[in-house]
Amino acid sequence: MKKCEMLYEGKAKKVYATEDENLVIVDYKDDATAFNGEKKGTIAGKGVVNNVMSNHMFQLLEKQGVPTHFVEQLSERETVVKKVQIVPLEVIIRNISAGSFAKRYGVEEGIVFSQPTIEFSYKNDELGDPLINSYHALALGLATQEEIDKIKEMSFKINEVMKKYFDTLNVILVDFKLEFGKTADGTVVLADEISPDTCRLWDKDTKEKLDKDRFRRDMGGVEEAYQEMFRRLLGETL
Ligand code: TMP
């Protein structure tokens, strides 16, 4: 499978057409942004970690019956995925208070919820990805009721699978963001990535952050955190 023209360049990935109209190649970059692109930087090796980790998670989820866009990893940074139409909703699942939840509701980080929460953001950089509810999403025609119901059901299932898996790595899954896409026949599949860019991951014993919050909050040890997650997932270093 070889890359044809570039279709899209996002903040963290490039997407290329292939000779198969139903498949595209994603190419993960080391570029990092935060706060809707206001903060910019580079995290050396991030593209490799995020590509390999996402594919690892997608394969685990597929085994548990969750359909994803994953097809085949081509190289350290490149993966063939199904071409999908991205549903313009960012789905955020939280198990523990942190980030914008803690800020919005004036609570400390680290409160363990009795059950997970779900929220949606409207995926729109110009508007700064505003929080949106399912009625608003329906009114704007972003998805159908059936698609929203499916996305919710899949997101909670993904949380259960991921929580259990990260626990075996001595990692707490605090929260994460998912994106879904529709294939040519309208099937809703998990898309985008699952990586330290899109999850909050804390060491179970020390509560040390092993994710992009180290970059967002200028905490240092950013590359090391990504490498540590890679090591725990694959038992090897890059
Ligand atoms: P938040 O607390 O800032 O709303 O973030 C919740 C989760 O979503 C966290 O794991 C980081 C992830 N996230 C993204 O993947 N992309 C984004 O643009 C934002 C704001 C958060």
Side-chain angles (χ1 to χ4, degrees):
M1 183 76 49
K2 74 174 196 339
K3 279 175 175 169
C4 299
E5 80 273 15
M6 190 171 77
L7 297 173
Y8 171 79
E9 177 161 11
K11 286 179 282 201
K13 298 187 281 298
K14 293 178 189 168
V15 180
Y16 293 87
T18 68
E19 282 147 354
D20 184 331
E21 61 173 4
N22 294 313
L23 301 175
V24 294
I25 294 172
V26 289
D27 187 341
Y28 286 73
K29 306 190 284 185
D30 285 349
D31 298 351
T33 62
F35 314 118
N36 202 24
E38 265 173 51
K39 182 182 171 87
K40 289 192 175 72
T42 305
I43 301 172
K46 173 172 88 80
V48 177
V49 174
N50 288 8
N51 181 39
V52 174
M53 175 166 170
S54 292
N55 295 340
H56 187 79
M57 300 309 298
F58 288 143
Q59 285 169 282
L60 177 85
L61 288 162
E62 288 270 0
K63 273 193 208 133
Q64 300 296 320
V66 178
T68 77
H69 72 167
F70 176 78
V71 176
E72 182 193 9
Q73 183 168 309
L74 283 185
S75 71
E76 279 190 326
R77 289 175 184 270
E78 297 166 308
T79 295
V80 182
V81 300
K82 291 173 197 151
K83 186 171 189 175
V84 296
Q85 196 189 343
I86 291 286
V87 177
L89 292 172
E90 299 198 347
V91 184
I92 294 160
I93 298 280
R94 302 180 191 269
N95 297 306
I96 295 178
S97 66
S100 69
F101 182 97
K103 197 168 170 208
R104 188 182 320 123
Y105 301 117
V107 297
E108 75 263 34
E109 298 200 316
I111 302 166
V112 180
F113 302 147
S114 55
Q115 55 180 55
T117 69
I118 189 165
E119 71 210 39
F120 299 109
S121 292
Y122 175 24
K123 190 174 155 66
N124 183 320
D125 280 342
E126 272 164 43
L127 299 175
D129 299 340
L131 201 60
I132 192 171
N133 69 30
S134 58
Y135 293 90
H136 298 158
L138 280 175
L140 292 170
L142 306 183
T144 64
Q145 186 67 58
E146 291 70 32
E147 287 161 0
I148 292 171
D149 292 344
K150 188 81 203 160
I151 285 171
K152 278 190 190 165
E153 180 197 317
M154 285 170 76
S155 299
F156 284 120
K157 165 132 194 221
I158 291 165
N159 184 43
E160 291 313 310
V161 173
M162 286 189 14
K163 248 191 331 192
K164 278 200 199 93
Y165 177 66
F166 282 117
D167 187 67
T168 69
L169 308 179
N170 214 41
V171 169
I172 301 170
L173 178 62
V174 175
D175 58 30
F176 56 97
K177 185 263 301 181
L178 300 172
E179 292 184 27
F180 294 85
K182 285 185 287 178
T183 58
D185 68 1
T187 310
V188 175
V189 300
L190 179 64
D192 195 48
E193 65 180 271
I194 297 177
S195 70
D197 275 21
T198 63
C199 303
R200 284 197 173 92
L201 303 161
W202 295 352
D203 179 82
K204 204 154 102 182
D205 302 322
T206 64
K207 307 291 188 293
E208 189 194 352
K209 297 186 198 310
L210 298 171
D211 59 63
K212 194 176 164 191
D213 268 352
R214 302 197 77 87
F215 169 79
R216 296 188 187 99
R217 302 178 186 189
D218 294 321
M219 296 171 74
V222 185
E223 276 87 4
E224 292 78 1
Y226 280 75
Q227 296 303 324
E228 176 60 18
M229 274 311 305
F230 188 92
R231 194 190 62 74
R232 289 193 196 193
L233 283 157
L234 299 176
E236 54 190 85
T237 46
L238 285 174

